[in-house]
Amino acid sequence: GAGVSQSPSNKVTEKGKDVELRCDPISGHTALYWYRQSLGQGLEFLIYFQGNSAPDKSGLPSDRFSAERTGGSVSTLTIQRTQQEDSAVYLCASSLGTLYNEQFFGPGTRLTVL
Amino acid sequence: GENVEQHPSTLSVQEGDSAVIKCTYSDSASNYFPWYKQELGKGPQLIIDIRSNVGEKKDQRIAVTLNKTAKHFSLHITETQPEDSAVYFCAAARGNYQLIWGAGTKLIIKP
């Protein structure tokens, strides 16, 4: 079956521009995570969606970052007024819901801010 | 808050030898410890996990051990093969749905 997909795979933008990153989770997965992975670093938690519950936004690094999940499926991560330090790989993962369920990751979006 | 340290950052072993990667965590309440493997250009993939009520778990050439008292857990890969070359991440649970991740270990299998 189809896995988690993300688009675009690569995004180059100029400092100050807004970007939108998209994630299509596995059908039926109620949980969706966004992570940021900087070069040589682990995964930094950004935001968590679970079903119709209010998302946990505690990992978002600033108010320039926001995310939404429409209809419990597709999610969009938006970064406004991008900065060079936003350059990283943004990973999306989905799971069946509990912590003990495997997180299935997409291939990521590599964001480069010039 | 929870912190996970992972060592070494790079590990080079001869094909056929064993590899061991170690992680320590700070939150004694953590009860779930997965290991993920990330190949170049792909997202991480779960390879094995362990809950705090067991001390060891094996799956063919891969095993994970957990020492709750010392707050550390390790990944053991035996009879390493070229396809084992990748970056490996450990993680520890925080709360009901968050994972705190180690910085990763790049495993290189030398032919």
Side-chain angles (χ1 to χ4, degrees), chain A residues 33 35 37 40-45 48 56 58-59 91 97-108, chain B residues 31-32 36 38 41-46 49 51 87 89 93-104:
Chain A
Y33 299 79
Y35 294 96
Q37 185 175 30
Q41 300 297 313
L43 279 65
E44 176 189 3
F45 167 79
Y48 165 76
D56 178 352
S58 61
L91 290 163
T98 75
L99 181 65
Y100 309 116
N101 292 123
E102 178 179 357
Q103 293 185 27
F104 292 84
F105 283 83
Chain B
N31 63 356
Y32 176 64
Y36 280 74
Q38 186 176 28
K42 298 182 179 180
Q45 184 173 8
L46 180 70
D49 57 9
R51 300 194 190 189
V87 178
F89 291 96
R94 180 172 75 182
N96 294 325
Y97 51 82
Q98 269 199 43
L99 293 175
I100 306 302
W101 298 76

Side-chain angles (χ1 to χ4, degrees), chain A residues 4 25-32 69 72-73 94-97 102 104:
Chain A
V4 177
I26 293 173
S27 177
H29 280 190
T30 58
L32 188 147
R69 187 179 185 192
S73 181
S94 70
S95 79
L96 286 171
E102 178 179 357
F104 292 84

Side-chain angles (χ1 to χ4, degrees), chain A residues 47-58:
Chain A
I47 190 168
Y48 165 76
F49 295 91
Q50 171 60 277
N52 295 321
S53 303
D56 178 352
K57 305 178 182 180
S58 61

Side-chain angles (χ1 to χ4, degrees), chain A residues 2 9 28 31 33 38-39 41 43 46 48-49 53 62 67 74 78 80 83-84 88-91 96 99 101 106 109:
Chain A
S9 56
Y33 299 79
S38 301
L39 189 63
Q41 300 297 313
L43 279 65
L46 296 178
Y48 165 76
F49 295 91
S53 303
S62 77
V74 172
T78 301
Q80 296 178 310
Q83 304 294 313
Q84 288 185 331
V89 175
Y90 290 82
L91 290 163
L96 286 171
L99 181 65
N101 292 123
T109 293

